[in-house]
Amino acid sequence: MLNSYIIKLTETILRDATCRISEEEACRLAALPEEEMLTLILCADKIRRKYKENRIVTCSITNAKSGFCSEDCAFCAQSSYHETGIESHPLLSEERLVEDAVKLHENGATEFSMVTSGFMLTEAELATIGRAAGRIKEQTGLLLCSSLGVLTAARAQQLKASGLAAYHHNLETARSFFPQVCTTHNYDDDVETVRIAKAAGLKVCCGGILGLGESWEQRVELAITLRDLDVDSIPINFLNPIAGTRMGARPLLSPQEALKCIALFRFINPQKDITICGGREVTLRDQQSWIFAAGANGLLIGNYLTTQGRDCHADMEMIKDLGLVAEQGC
């Protein structure tokens, strides 16, 4: 029976922290019918509690540089290939970056990331990020991260020396589906940036967006790729279709499908931080608190890049009500 299969696989993962389920096993989980969803979620929660206890990561970001992006990612409102009417702006000032970090820290964030659009920053822009990072580290207890496009080894070392502890760079989707999402750079560019960041001693936050039209097998493929790269934290986003993008008419995932995705990633990556980010409000609606039972142990609080998030205080109340404790991950 499928129930006994889920339970047996869960017990194996609980006994052995190094357990790596096979692609075949993961695809079998992905193919479970809806009536098995509750068992899958309860078992994912057991795995989360075993390896993460009641600790929750609360990440936050600032849209440090918006729009004018040279890449053609089909979902992205900031791509120069799309007309979405978003507010575009150059890199924020050092002072503004510090102010944003301090405010989010006061609202309950334990981690803060400066996110910029584009393939790669200029040297002057990188220097501004470095100076801001140094000041933020002095003024807050935040774990500092950045998402600045592709990296070179020298730039990764420069960021680490400035006080950054982590680097964020999503793969977005499975390699086999990537050509349907982006054609202006190669998947290997993104994989190499992850490897460069790790080699520099930075923790790596790397995940993707679900609901782009990928299959369940491709969701498994992405989760296994992240496992093989040994990333430290996995941000899961759900597509929030933006009018004017090539994916502006795609339907939302159902709440049940989104929760199943989270559980699947927890089975494949039992010890990693799994953080639920953009699209959760519109996708999960009143089932947002279920993300932790489904296996997540992190939440992006505050606003996203071009869309509004939920009120920080509401998220912190939800975490408190569930008896969870917000602290730094990675």
Side-chain angles (χ1 to χ4, degrees):
M1 293 178 61
L2 288 174
N3 263 358
S4 61
Y5 172 74
I6 304 171
I7 292 168
K8 182 178 179 181
L9 195 59
T10 302
E11 290 173 347
T12 300
I13 295 170
L14 294 176
R15 284 196 306 269
D16 181 6
T18 65
C19 174
R20 294 165 64 91
I21 69 172
S22 69
E23 181 178 357
E24 180 182 358
E25 289 170 323
C27 285
R28 186 173 174 184
L29 289 177
L32 288 170
E34 187 173 334
E35 56 264 29
E36 301 291 350
M37 269 287 295
L38 185 57
T39 303
L40 182 68
I41 287 175
L42 290 174
C43 287
D45 189 41
K46 286 186 178 181
I47 297 170
R48 175 188 65 83
R49 290 177 182 274
K50 167 72 173 181
Y51 295 112
K52 296 299 176 181
E53 299 176 343
N54 68 338
R55 301 190 300 272
I56 297 298
V57 177
T58 50
C59 303
S60 61
I61 62 174
T62 192
N63 191 359
K65 179 183 177 183
S66 178
F68 308 113
C69 183
S70 62
E71 304 309 293
D72 70 349
C73 300
F75 57 83
C76 187
Q78 300 194 68
S79 171
S80 59
Y81 289 78
H82 300 144
E83 294 185 8
T84 58
I86 65 161
E87 180 182 351
S88 298
H89 60 76
L91 185 68
L92 297 178
S93 68
E94 176 185 337
E95 194 66 35
R96 172 64 185 279
L97 292 170
V98 175
E99 289 175 1
D100 285 356
V102 170
K103 182 178 180 180
L104 285 162
H105 184 240
E106 290 172 349
N107 283 334
T110 59
E111 301 183 9
F112 175 74
S113 182
M114 294 171 277
V115 183
T116 61
S117 61
F119 188 67
M120 176 184 281
L121 292 189
T122 66
E123 290 294 341
E125 289 171 331
L126 197 71
T128 298
I129 294 290
R131 290 193 301 271
R135 291 177 58 188
I136 294 167
K137 189 175 181 181
E138 289 176 356
Q139 296 182 36
T140 73
L142 291 164
L143 184 146
L144 292 182
C145 179
S146 63
S147 182
L148 313 173
V150 297
L151 284 179
T152 64
R155 287 183 169 214
Q157 292 291 349
Q158 183 179 343
L159 290 171
K160 184 170 173 45
S162 72
L164 265 73
Y167 196 75
H168 171 271
H169 193 78
N170 278 348
L171 298 184
E172 307 303 5
T173 191
R175 181 186 291 273
S176 64
F177 192 69
F178 190 73
Q180 307 301 313
V181 176
C182 180
T183 65
T184 48
H185 70 270
N186 296 322
Y187 201 75
D188 285 330
D189 295 331
D190 296 324
V191 170
E192 183 61 17
T193 288
V194 170
R195 289 175 173 154
I196 285 172
K198 285 183 65 68
L202 292 165
K203 300 292 185 180
V204 175
C205 176
C206 179
I209 304 176
L210 304 179
L212 302 177
E214 75 285 345
S215 66
W216 276 106
E217 290 78 12
Q218 286 166 328
R219 291 167 185 169
V220 169
E221 180 187 342
L222 173 60
I224 288 178
T225 298
L226 297 171
R227 181 182 71 186
D228 292 345
L229 286 169
D230 194 27
V231 303
D232 300 282
S233 177
I234 300 174
I236 294 178
N237 301 272
F238 302 109
L239 179 67
N240 181 3
I242 304 297
T245 66
R246 298 202 310 280
M247 292 191 173
R250 280 207 58 80
L252 294 171
L253 292 183
S254 69
Q256 292 76 18
E257 189 173 2
L259 293 171
K260 185 177 179 181
C261 288
I262 298 169
L264 182 64
F265 272 68
R266 175 55 70 196
F267 269 84
I268 297 172
N269 293 278
Q271 296 188 78
K272 302 301 184 181
D273 286 334
I274 296 178
T275 303
I276 309 307
C277 304
R280 65 179 168 94
E281 294 87 357
V282 296
T283 298
L284 291 160
R285 302 186 289 280
D286 59 356
Q287 296 185 40
Q288 288 184 66
S289 63
W290 277 79
I291 64 172
F292 305 113
N297 71 301
L299 196 64
L300 181 62
I301 65 172
N303 293 329
Y304 307 119
L305 294 177
T306 61
T307 56
Q308 297 292 305
R310 195 161 76 147
D311 178 74
C312 289
H313 301 293
D315 280 334
M316 297 310 295
E317 281 296 315
M318 176 177 70
I319 290 170
K320 180 181 177 182
D321 290 344
L322 292 170
L324 303 171
V325 179
E327 59 181 46
Q328 289 180 353
C330 289

